[in-house]
Amino acid sequence: MSDARRGRMTLYFGAAPGVGKTYAMLEAAQRLRRQGVDIVVGAVDTHGRPEVAELLVGLERLPSRTVEIRGKLVEEFHLDAALVRRPGMLILDDLGHGNAPGSRHAQRWQDVIDLLAAGVDVLSTLCVQQIESQHDVVVQITSMRVRDLVPDAMFERADHVEFIDPPNKEVLARLQDGKVYIPEQDARAAAAMYRKNSLLALRELALRRMSQRTGRENLIYRSAPRLGAGPVSERILVCIDPSPLGPRLIRAAFRMATGLRAEWLALYVETPRLALAGESARAQVGETLRLAEQLGAEVVHISGARIDREILGFARARGATRLIIGKPLQHRWRDLLRGSLVDALVRGSGDLDVHVIAGDIAPHEVTPVPALRSPIRVAAYFWAALTVAAIAATRLLHLPLFYVIVLLLVGISLVGSRLGRGPALGAALLSILAVEVTMRIGPEATPIEDLQRGAIYLGMLLLALWVSGLTELSRRQAEAARIDERRLTALYLLSRELSQLRSEVDIAECAIRHVKKTMSARTVILLPGHDDQLAPVAGTDIELTTDAREEGVARWAFEHGPAGRGTETLKAAQALYLPLTAAGRTIGVLGVAPDDPDKLASPAERQLLDAMTGPVALALQRVRLAEEAQIAEVRAREEELRGSLLSSVSHDLRTPLASITGAASAMMDSGDAIAPETRRDLLQTIYEEAERLGRLVGNLLDMTRLEAGAVALRTDWVSLEDPIGSALSRLDRRLAGREVQVTLPPDLPLLPLDEVLFEQLILNLLENACKHTPAGSPVRVVARVQGGRVVVEVADRGPGLPAGEEETIFEKFVRGSKANTQGFGLGLAICRAIAAAHGGEITAENRAGGGAVFRISLPIGVGPPEPGPDTSLASMSGPQGVLHNTAKILLHQPAGLEAETTT
């Protein structure tokens, strides 16, 4: 089985339990076994049926996992054992089976996803009542609720579906014979399922689902480029709120979208009132949105004050053709007071079709979203009563009743705008009482007709409700705006800071800091290494993934999608793990473990967290791309250097080889007839060109060894006169006819040098001077102590260095723009490498009066042990010592090589 390919899934699909799905699957498994297929049984429960047990004979079975549930030992499918065994094909009965607590996944269909990703083919069974989108219809048919449902995406993902469709009489006969397994707790509901009418309805439902699958496959085939594009589909928009009817709306929208082969979206409009709703309402919305995502919808979460305007505006912006909403279950009087959402949507829909769907939950079972209630504040009611009392007291000052009523209205407005609805209503009731009392206070009563009094009192109450309602709405809007502002600010600050970072560690630390500030949670970021293993980034909460189970959840999220707490996958984990995805590529995983786990149930918090993963993933991808670009640039430069090297090698090696070949060929062709002088000249040519060829190859090898670190320094305390004298002696022929000036003060300290390498450094500098200066021009070698270091200079009187090339000439394969000699351009690069290996440096500059000077600076280091008294000439100070040192060097030089010693 190749890891590169994904496994194939075959489903045995039926209308109800007992139609023979497991039997047909095992018969097919026996046929495959006889054909030599590596097929293994992962999980099949016979439920005491001998005909099923008989079909298991001869099939290899995986070891199961024993789990204790409510004091009973239960055998469960062992996913890890299956992934280790990795057979060619695995049998897993009941795709919708709910796994035991503590399993890697909550349901068996999630185990199947892992198996398919590992390249294992799977055989499984499925009933129409287990399909998520058909659940509500099945409940209407059978009044039986199924706890463990399978997403429609898994049914569509099956590579092959076998529809098992026996006659209803055969199914009922199997039921009477006890060959259909029915749990005890579902026995009463199963009685309704196995009625003739129910079986017919379930069969029709299963056939319709099969026809939808066949139609989808046909549409895909017809939409192939060779046959032209398929028809333009509709777009369905379903609107949800914190109601238990939300899942039913989602399933209905999915069925409609599947039947119409249309795109569909799930929209949640968060009003200021819903934004401040309780945890239960937010959890209900989160569950509904997760179901929509699971069924393949595009989930959208927006905010607004008017639900109808936001829905219609979004529907027109996205080009929706159908709108699905739930039937209102509130009392009619609420619609009269607040307006009906259904009426507003229907009136403003225009060309948009509106579908109103009723739920299967009784109105008294629906829990409305609780209103935002403030705690009772005694002080507020006290101030409301004091305000009314103060205004009413003006009647004692003989203020006309009309003005008192006006002041009371002003007071009610003031209380409603400052203290809220309750104190405002209290103020209105007290104002009514105050009017009744003050009408009878004063020198003469001021009667008011009953109709006028009723209008005044009604106006007071309505004014209190209106002003306090506006105040409450403004407060909710302000609070919702603060929440939105906090989210937007968090995203802005995160994006702005990430844009300035250039390393993965800095990006991870920045992301962790912002997530902690926003959600008060432990956070970790895991990135794949060179071995593709996820590893936490330094600076994050590494302890979160020290548990192997948490690490496994993170790995699953990296490969498949969100997992962990707050999801239906591995929800027993401590943290929620989200893949960091950018440009279709998963960069890493973000793990978040909030101090308050209920925060993950909030759609707003989850949406904010999802939004924060985007900038983090893009920043990490930017760093990765920059690293890849840098690597590509280095490789391109290496290729360029390799091309330059090959070009130089092919040119510079061809010349000495051609000279050697020509001289040798001339000697062979002439034989004994060649003159002795000519013979000597040809041999001299062969020798010189072979020596030149050796130097070229030696430079290449030396540079390679130095860059690879293969050269180990063999340092010893060396006097500079030894490597300099040896280098001069090796270049006696090249230096013939030149005036060489050597200045070595007698007080030069011994240096810790690798004598062979340092001799090569001096040799390359002297040879470089011979190449690039006119014949007979002088060369000068000077050494001195300067600033705690020993400085050695090699100077010439040639054309000098081109302006601006004082540094570049030490790079590999650089020969200078004025160079007209052959070579690889490695001599000076080797000099720099040798100087750096000794802890020194080498520089070049033009010399006053013409020529160039190369300056080597070496550290003196800790001196060697003090020698005893020495009376030799080498230890003399003054002119005699200098003359001796110079003489020692000249002993290695040929006659005719002039040397000048200066003090």
Side-chain angles (χ1 to χ4, degrees):
M1 183 68 60
S2 173
D3 294 341
R5 81 168 186 92
R6 298 186 65 85
R8 297 174 59 84
M9 179 171 60
T10 300
L11 283 180
Y12 291 83
F13 182 60
V19 299
K21 304 182 299 297
T22 304
Y23 195 88
M25 177 180 66
L26 293 179
E27 282 186 330
Q30 289 289 355
R31 290 194 300 269
L32 292 170
R33 180 184 66 83
R34 289 191 291 269
Q35 295 172 8
V37 177
D38 179 22
I39 187 167
V40 176
V41 177
V44 173
D45 196 341
T46 63
H47 298 295
R49 293 171 291 179
E51 67 275 9
V52 176
E54 184 179 350
L55 287 174
L56 290 172
V57 176
L59 292 173
E60 178 186 349
R61 302 196 66 169
L62 279 178
S64 58
R65 187 170 60 92
T66 304
V67 182
E68 183 177 354
I69 302 178
R70 299 189 184 97
K72 296 182 180 180
L73 296 180
V74 179
E75 300 293 328
E76 281 288 327
F77 169 60
H78 202 319
L79 176 59
D80 294 332
L83 293 175
V84 172
R85 170 65 174 80
R86 195 169 292 189
M89 186 170 290
L90 187 71
I91 301 173
L92 274 181
D93 194 19
D94 190 6
L95 187 64
H97 172 77
N99 294 332
S103 302
R104 179 185 295 188
H105 302 300
Q107 290 184 256
R108 183 163 290 169
W109 62 266
Q110 296 169 315
D111 297 337
V112 171
I113 292 178
D114 283 1
L115 293 168
L116 296 177
V120 179
D121 295 341
V122 176
L123 298 180
S124 190
T125 59
L126 183 68
C127 289
V128 68
Q129 65 182 4
Q130 294 176 299
I131 298 180
E132 179 75 55
S133 64
Q134 309 301 318
H135 177 256
D136 298 323
V137 182
V138 172
V139 170
Q140 292 178 355
I141 296 173
T142 65
S143 300
M144 179 178 178
R145 292 186 175 276
V146 180
R147 290 181 295 273
D148 300 316
L149 300 175
V150 177
D152 289 64
M154 286 300 295
F155 183 76
E156 297 295 339
R157 186 174 182 173
D159 299 277
H160 180 67
V161 178
E162 288 280 351
F163 184 50
I164 310 302
D165 187 27
N168 288 340
K169 292 182 179 180
E170 182 179 334
V171 177
L172 294 175
R174 288 172 55 83
L175 179 66
Q176 293 177 357
D177 295 340
K179 296 181 179 180
V180 179
Y181 170 72
I182 300 175
E184 296 180 2
Q185 63 270 23
D186 295 335
R188 183 176 300 176
M193 176 186 294
Y194 288 97
R195 291 195 299 262
K196 184 176 181 180
N197 291 339
S198 298
L199 288 176
L200 287 174
L202 290 174
R203 181 174 180 272
E204 180 182 355
L205 190 63
L207 286 171
R208 185 184 302 123
R209 193 66 186 87
M210 283 295 297
S211 67
Q212 290 173 350
R213 172 184 168 86
T214 305
R216 182 183 294 270
E217 293 175 349
N218 184 42
L219 179 63
I220 294 174
Y221 175 76
R222 290 171 54 198
S223 300
R226 63 180 181 277
L227 298 177
V232 178
S233 62
E234 297 192 44
R235 183 170 288 133
I236 298 173
L237 176 65
V238 56
C239 304
I240 63 171
D241 62 0
S243 166
L245 300 182
R248 174 174 172 79
L249 293 178
I250 294 297
R251 296 188 187 105
F254 176 79
R255 290 195 298 270
M256 182 181 294
T258 303
L260 297 174
R261 302 183 182 93
E263 300 178 13
W264 67 295
L265 305 91
L267 175 65
Y268 171 59
V269 180
E270 187 178 65
T271 62
R273 175 169 171 263
L274 294 177
L276 303 176
E279 294 293 338
S280 59
R282 292 201 292 268
Q284 180 63 52
V285 173
E287 181 181 349
T288 305
L289 293 179
R290 283 195 295 272
L291 175 61
E293 289 180 343
Q294 195 177 72
L295 293 178
E298 178 186 348
V299 175
V300 182
H301 178 188
I302 61 177
S303 300
R306 289 283 301 273
I307 297 180
D308 55 332
R309 293 179 181 176
E310 298 297 335
I311 291 175
L312 293 175
F314 181 82
R316 293 189 178 96
R318 296 300 297 269
T321 57
R322 296 173 185 261
L323 177 64
I324 297 178
I325 57 175
K327 181 179 179 180
L329 300 178
Q330 62 187 15
H331 297 287
R332 182 65 180 169
W333 63 269
R334 289 179 176 270
D335 292 339
L336 295 176
L337 290 178
R338 299 181 178 179
S340 171
L341 176 62
V342 174
D343 291 343
L345 291 176
V346 172
R347 293 179 184 277
S349 59
D351 296 334
L352 185 67
D353 296 335
V354 181
H355 299 261
V356 182
I357 297 179
D360 56 353
I361 302 176
H364 65 274
E365 297 178 353
V366 179
T367 303
V369 179
L372 181 66
R373 299 183 183 275
S374 302
I376 297 177
R377 295 170 298 170
V378 177
Y381 288 92
F382 171 77
W383 285 110
L386 183 62
T387 301
V388 174
I391 295 174
T394 58
R395 181 64 173 162
L396 299 176
L397 302 176
H398 306 291
L399 190 69
L401 182 60
F402 172 78
Y403 294 105
V404 174
I405 294 175
V406 172
L407 290 176
L408 287 173
L409 291 175
V410 173
I412 293 172
S413 301
L414 181 63
V415 171
S417 63
R418 295 292 182 181
L419 303 179
R421 179 172 297 175
L425 288 175
L429 294 175
L430 290 177
S431 297
I432 293 174
L433 179 61
V435 171
E436 288 290 335
V437 173
T438 55
M439 281 192 306
R440 297 169 176 82
I441 296 177
E444 56 182 28
T446 307
I448 303 177
E449 295 182 3
D450 294 342
L451 183 61
Q452 293 177 345
R453 290 210 322 261
I456 292 172
Y457 298 160
L458 179 61
M460 288 181 174
L461 292 173
L462 292 178
L463 179 64
L465 291 174
W466 180 62
V467 174
S468 62
L470 288 178
T471 302
E472 184 178 359
L473 178 61
S474 299
R475 289 176 179 173
R476 288 176 176 174
Q477 289 178 341
E479 183 64 25
R482 281 195 293 271
I483 294 175
D484 291 340
E485 182 184 8
R486 179 179 64 87
R487 298 170 185 166
L488 292 175
T489 302
L491 287 175
Y492 168 73
L493 294 176
L494 175 63
S495 301
R496 186 181 66 176
E497 189 171 348
L498 288 175
S499 64
Q500 302 173 359
L501 302 178
R502 295 294 181 268
S503 71
E504 292 181 347
V505 174
D506 293 341
I507 290 173
E509 291 178 351
C510 171
I512 298 307
R513 186 170 61 256
H514 283 273
V515 172
K516 284 184 176 181
K517 186 186 301 182
T518 303
M519 298 194 65
S520 181
R522 292 184 299 154
T523 312
V524 64
I525 289 182
L526 301 100
L527 300 177
H530 297 293
D531 55 354
D532 203 32
Q533 294 297 319
L534 291 177
V537 180
T540 62
D541 290 322
I542 301 177
E543 297 80 7
L544 195 60
T545 54
T546 52
D547 186 3
R549 296 176 64 87
E550 294 293 318
E551 186 178 354
V553 178
R555 186 69 196 181
W556 201 95
F558 180 77
E559 296 176 350
H560 303 288
R565 184 181 290 272
T567 69
E568 295 301 320
T569 303
L570 302 169
K571 55 186 177 182
Q574 298 181 26
L576 168 66
Y577 294 92
L578 300 174
L580 299 173
T581 306
R585 176 185 175 188
T586 302
I587 307 297
V589 175
L590 172 67
V592 180
D595 298 337
D596 181 10
D598 292 336
K599 280 190 174 182
L600 295 178
S602 170
E605 296 293 337
R606 178 65 183 274
Q607 187 181 35
L608 174 61
L609 194 57
D610 291 338
M612 296 179 78
T613 61
V616 176
L618 289 174
L620 291 172
Q621 186 191 39
R622 186 187 72 243
V623 172
R624 290 285 178 91
L625 292 177
E627 292 176 353
E628 293 175 0
Q630 185 176 5
I631 293 174
E633 182 180 358
V634 171
R635 289 178 178 174
R637 189 172 181 182
E638 289 177 352
E639 291 296 329
E640 182 180 356
L641 291 175
R642 186 176 292 109
S644 301
L645 175 60
L646 292 176
S647 175
S648 180
V649 166
S650 62
H651 179 271
D652 293 333
L653 294 184
R654 187 182 298 116
T655 301
L657 287 175
S659 300
I660 294 172
T661 303
S665 176
M667 292 177 63
M668 290 176 61
D669 293 341
S670 301
D672 297 335
I674 189 172
E677 294 181 359
T678 304
R679 179 188 228 25
R680 186 170 53 254
D681 293 339
L682 292 175
L683 289 173
Q684 182 68 26
T685 299
I686 293 174
Y687 174 78
E688 291 177 352
E689 295 298 331
E691 188 180 35
R692 176 185 170 193
L693 182 61
R695 286 196 303 270
L696 292 176
V697 175
N699 281 340
L700 283 174
L701 295 177
D702 290 343
M703 195 67 233
T704 302
R705 293 170 59 211
L706 287 169
E707 286 193 334
V711 176
L713 294 182
R714 298 180 179 179
T715 59
D716 196 1
W717 294 102
V718 177
S719 173
L720 283 180
E721 62 187 34
D722 295 331
I724 293 175
S726 180
L728 290 171
S729 116
R730 289 174 59 184
L731 290 177
D732 52 0
R733 298 180 60 86
R734 301 289 300 273
L735 292 172
R738 292 178 181 269
E739 178 184 358
V740 179
Q741 299 177 359
V742 180
T743 302
L744 298 178
D747 56 349
L748 281 178
L750 300 180
L751 297 177
L753 300 177
D754 184 320
E755 187 172 355
V756 175
L757 287 180
F758 194 76
E759 178 186 330
Q760 183 66 41
L761 188 157
I762 300 297
L763 182 72
N764 286 357
L765 292 179
L766 293 173
E767 189 177 28
N768 187 72
C770 294
K771 285 182 181 180
H772 299 284
T773 59
S777 60
V779 177
R780 181 184 178 190
V781 180
V782 180
R784 65 179 179 274
V785 177
Q786 179 178 337
R789 302 173 72 88
V790 173
V791 178
V792 181
E793 294 181 353
V794 178
D796 60 54
R797 286 299 182 183
L801 300 174
E805 296 186 11
E806 292 84 355
E807 182 66 24
T808 59
I809 58 172
F810 290 102
E811 295 181 3
K812 292 181 295 183
F813 310 114
V814 174
R815 293 185 293 182
S817 59
K818 295 183 179 181
N820 55 6
T821 60
Q822 297 176 348
F824 293 154
L826 292 176
L828 293 179
I830 293 175
C831 291
R832 167 171 282 186
I834 294 175
H838 286 83
E841 60 182 8
I842 182 172
T843 58
E845 63 183 24
N846 285 320
R847 186 180 179 190
V853 57
F854 292 85
R855 187 173 293 108
I856 309 165
S857 176
L858 297 171
I860 296 178
V862 181
E866 290 293 336
D870 189 358
T871 58
S872 64
L873 289 175
S875 64
M876 294 181 181
S877 60
Q880 292 86 353
V882 177
L883 289 174
H884 171 75
N885 293 336
T886 305
K888 183 176 179 180
I889 294 173
L890 292 179
L891 289 176
H892 298 280
Q893 298 180 355
L897 177 60
E898 299 180 1
E900 178 183 343
T901 303
T902 60
T903 59

